[in-house]
Amino acid sequence: MDDRDTKSYGERNSASDLLEIAAQLASLAEDIKTLAAMPIEQISTLIESDDRPEASS
């Protein structure tokens, strides 16, 4: 593999990593929207019972 091939592979790998991070951030944003729509009492109950909502995939 010459330098051009190595650089190209690294860029593809980085792009893949960035896409994975973007997908995780989108999932987190959906979880935050769900929590924001809940009444505070319901969130408190979830936290106290340690029955936290699972992150969506």
Side-chain angles (χ1 to χ4, degrees), residues 9-27:
Y9 176 76
E11 288 173 358
R12 279 186 299 222
N13 195 26
S14 295
S16 176
D17 292 344
L18 288 175
L19 288 173
E20 176 64 27
I21 291 169
Q24 290 175 0
L25 288 172
S27 177

Side-chain angles (χ1 to χ4, degrees), residues 13-45:
N13 195 26
S14 295
S16 176
D17 292 344
L18 288 175
L19 288 173
E20 176 64 27
I21 291 169
Q24 290 175 0
L25 288 172
S27 177
L28 181 58
E30 289 299 318
D31 292 344
I32 291 170
K33 284 183 196 176
T34 301
L35 285 171
M38 290 181 177
I40 291 179
E41 296 81 18
Q42 186 178 3
I43 295 171
S44 297
T45 303

